[in-house]
Amino acid sequence: MTDNDKAGRPGTTARKHTALPKAQILIEALPWLTRHNGKVVVIKFGGNAMVDDDLKAAFAQDVVFLRHAGLKPVVVHGGGPQINAQLDKQGLVSEFKAGLRVTTPEAMDVVRMVLAGQVQRELVGLLNQHGPLAVGLTGEDAHTITATKHTPRIDGEAVDIGRVGEITAIDTGAIEALLADGRIPVISSIARSADDGHVYNVNADTAAAALAAALGAETLMVLTDVEGLYADWPTSDEVISRLTVGELEKLLPELSSGMVPKMEGCLHAVRGGVGTARVIDGRVPHSILLEIFTDEGIGTMVVPDDRAAHAQGGEQQ
Ligand SMILES: Nc1ncnc2c1ncn2[C@@H]1O[C@H](COP(=O)(O)OP(=O)(O)O)[C@@H](O)[C@H]1O
Ligand SMILES: CC(=O)N[C@@H](CCC(=O)OP(=O)(O)O)C(=O)O
């Protein structure tokens, strides 16, 4: 006997059968959700991971999902490629030194306009398609990020790279007020200066890591355009799935380009008390939820030294 009604629609039993796997999937996530309930998760969305509109919309869905599941997501966004495009359009030359953009005062205007006026606005808009949740701010707002001029040493020489900031203080007040109000802060990596009245360009990975540590976040998730940290890049694409801060520290001098601020950020975040830092492939739709609901995770996870001895298998953190 079939379970269909007179109109041929599935009856209660059939509906139960199709819904059961969905219930099981939700239940599998319960331990993770219980552990992270009420916890702050800082998610850095890299400019290179903002590949297309569908991906950005899926990112927004994942973040809103986390919020409705009882976590407190904080979004920090990048926009390197978007800044490059605008600088090109304006005929301004842009170069990187020590992984950081040499930022003239004219370039700083472009960085601020693109990050705060374009990328941040777009993400806020996508998140707010799901309700009045997201509020955008830059590090300038409410003294959230304070910086001083950063002068990196390259081959032993101090090099002037313009309006690039080194973070000296984080004030989490505005972010915490937004979180307490159930909002999702979306933060652009621009800092105010305490000493010279300028605004400074801060690498978005560095800003996300500093905010994660200051907020006492449970997790820092860094979404980028590779699967994770490759063991022997560029000759191999074998992803290092898990490493301790001690192991990462030894590896840092071998890293290049965009991975340097990313992995330095992960190191500082975990050393600063963040439970885990992860680098994941933001080009994969719903990469945030995949990372959460997959036992081993899908990218690279950085853990404190004292977690080195923990089981590799089945440990969802
Ligand atoms: N060991 C490594 N593993 C993976 N990627 C690496 C490594 N070393 C350098 N990279 C480079 O770092 C890039 C990611 O950094 P970046 O371009 O700054 O991205 P985002 O915009 O997401 O911050 C990768 O696309 C890759 O070219
Ligand atoms: C000082 C410095 O280099 N700032 C970065 C800020 C944006 C950023 O970090 O964007 P991604 O995360 O997409 O790389 C820049 O100007 O490109």
Side-chain angles (χ1 to χ4, degrees):
M1 204 178 92
T2 65
D3 184 42
N4 290 354
D5 68 9
K6 283 189 190 124
R9 287 180 301 239
T12 316
T13 313
R15 280 206 308 274
K16 265 192 208 151
H17 281 303
T18 33
L20 194 59
K22 293 179 189 163
Q24 274 162 347
I25 287 166
L26 287 175
I27 290 304
E28 266 175 44
L30 189 57
W32 193 94
L33 292 173
T34 305
R35 220 167 25 245
H36 288 78
N37 192 31
K39 300 270 169 66
V40 174
V41 178
V42 174
I43 302 162
K44 191 266 173 161
F45 197 20
N48 281 306
M50 298 172 190
V51 177
D52 60 40
D53 289 345
D54 289 346
L55 211 54
K56 285 184 263 191
F59 167 84
Q61 283 178 325
D62 285 9
V63 173
V64 171
F65 183 92
L66 292 187
R67 158 68 183 74
H68 287 315
L71 284 82
K72 293 175 174 171
V74 173
V75 176
V76 180
H77 68 87
Q82 295 79 356
I83 296 167
N84 291 343
Q86 186 61 31
L87 287 170
D88 275 355
K89 235 189 239 172
Q90 295 185 210
L92 294 168
V93 189
S94 164
E95 61 166 331
F96 281 78
K97 286 188 183 168
L100 301 167
R101 186 186 305 278
V102 177
T103 310
T104 60
E106 299 76 49
M108 187 63 230
D109 287 343
V110 174
V111 168
R112 196 188 202 186
M113 194 253 293
V114 172
L115 292 183
Q118 291 175 11
V119 181
Q120 184 212 87
R121 288 296 94 203
E122 187 182 9
L123 294 178
V124 166
L126 287 168
L127 288 161
N128 284 342
Q129 283 182 9
H130 303 277
L133 294 166
V135 178
L137 61 155
T138 85
E140 300 160 80
D141 294 299
H143 291 194
T144 298
I145 307 176
T146 301
T148 189
K149 185 176 163 66
H150 177 51
T151 313
R153 297 194 80 80
I154 303 173
D155 300 327
E157 297 254 319
V159 179
D160 186 349
I161 55 168
R163 300 266 164 91
V164 174
E166 183 178 334
I167 298 175
T168 53
I170 299 277
D171 183 334
T172 57
I175 298 174
E176 287 185 37
L178 289 170
L179 291 174
D181 197 28
R183 313 288 176 184
I184 301 173
V186 180
I187 302 158
S188 311
S189 58
I190 299 162
R192 64 146 203 151
S193 160
D195 33 61
D196 60 15
H198 293 316
V199 289
Y200 280 112
N201 183 10
V202 177
N203 174 276
D205 295 314
T206 311
L211 286 165
L215 287 162
E218 177 67 17
T219 298
L220 166 66
M221 282 192 192
V222 182
L223 272 62
T224 185
D225 66 344
V226 280
E227 289 165 271
L229 177 64
Y230 294 137
D232 194 12
W233 190 82
T235 45
S236 135
D237 60 2
E238 186 201 326
V239 175
I240 302 175
S241 58
R242 181 189 170 104
L243 76 173
T244 64
V245 281
E247 289 163 346
L248 175 57
E249 198 160 33
K250 283 192 209 125
L251 210 68
L252 273 184
E254 291 167 34
L255 299 181
S256 58
S257 61
M259 269 299 141
V260 177
K262 231 174 276 306
M263 298 319 299
E264 273 177 0
C266 290
L267 181 82
H268 290 143
V270 177
R271 282 259 155 88
V274 176
T276 58
R278 295 136 187 268
V279 177
I280 58 177
D281 194 343
R283 300 165 307 176
V284 176
H286 299 294
S287 52
I288 299 174
L289 294 189
L290 285 174
E291 179 66 17
I292 290 166
F293 297 140
T294 314
D295 274 356
E296 288 291 303
I298 55 165
T300 297
M301 177 159 70
V302 181
V303 297
D305 287 323
D306 57 15
R307 282 212 224 148
H310 275 224
Q312 295 275 319
E315 186 192 4
Q316 257 182 303
Q317 298 186 39

